Amino acid sequence: VKCVEFVGDGLASGGSDNVVRWWDIRGERNFVMTGHKSRVWSLSASKSGQFVASGSADSTVKIWDISKIQQGLTKCSTTLSTRGSNGDIY
């Protein structure tokens, strides 16, 4: 695990396995969000708790709509993926 961030009623984590995980604080569910091609270095949540942004060593920033999984959907896709520089994004 390289980073954690409280998001909505859960906790998001990112790490060397190239994924972002969202954990229900009650421990009832967790979801894996895939799409990065390298380790996830950083996470940041929106003030509303609806979105989380992840920065990766694959030079991308992805924004995830967490509200979808909080509503009981089983899949969370990126709403935006943008390429940064040619290096890690912290």
Side-chain angles (χ1 to χ4, degrees), residues 42-65:
S42 60
L43 296 171
S44 183
S46 65
K47 187 181 272 189
S48 68
Q50 180 176 354
F51 300 101
V52 65
S54 56
S56 173
D58 65 5
S59 302
T60 64
V61 173
K62 296 188 183 300
I63 299 177
W64 309 88
D65 186 347

Side-chain angles (χ1 to χ4, degrees), residues 9-78:
D9 60 356
L11 180 72
S13 66
S16 296
D17 57 0
N18 309 345
V19 300
V20 175
R21 286 183 167 76
W22 182 84
W23 308 85
D24 184 320
I25 288 178
R26 295 176 302 254
E28 297 171 2
R29 304 175 290 166
N30 78 60
F31 294 91
V32 176
M33 295 167 269
T34 60
H36 283 296
K37 294 180 178 22
S38 190
R39 73 190 61 83
V40 177
W41 284 118
S42 60
L43 296 171
S44 183
S46 65
K47 187 181 272 189
S48 68
Q50 180 176 354
F51 300 101
V52 65
S54 56
S56 173
D58 65 5
S59 302
T60 64
V61 173
K62 296 188 183 300
I63 299 177
W64 309 88
D65 186 347
I66 298 298
S67 68
K68 292 179 181 178
I69 56 176
Q70 290 174 328
Q71 295 167 10
L73 301 177
T74 58
K75 187 167 183 165
C76 181
S77 60
T78 55

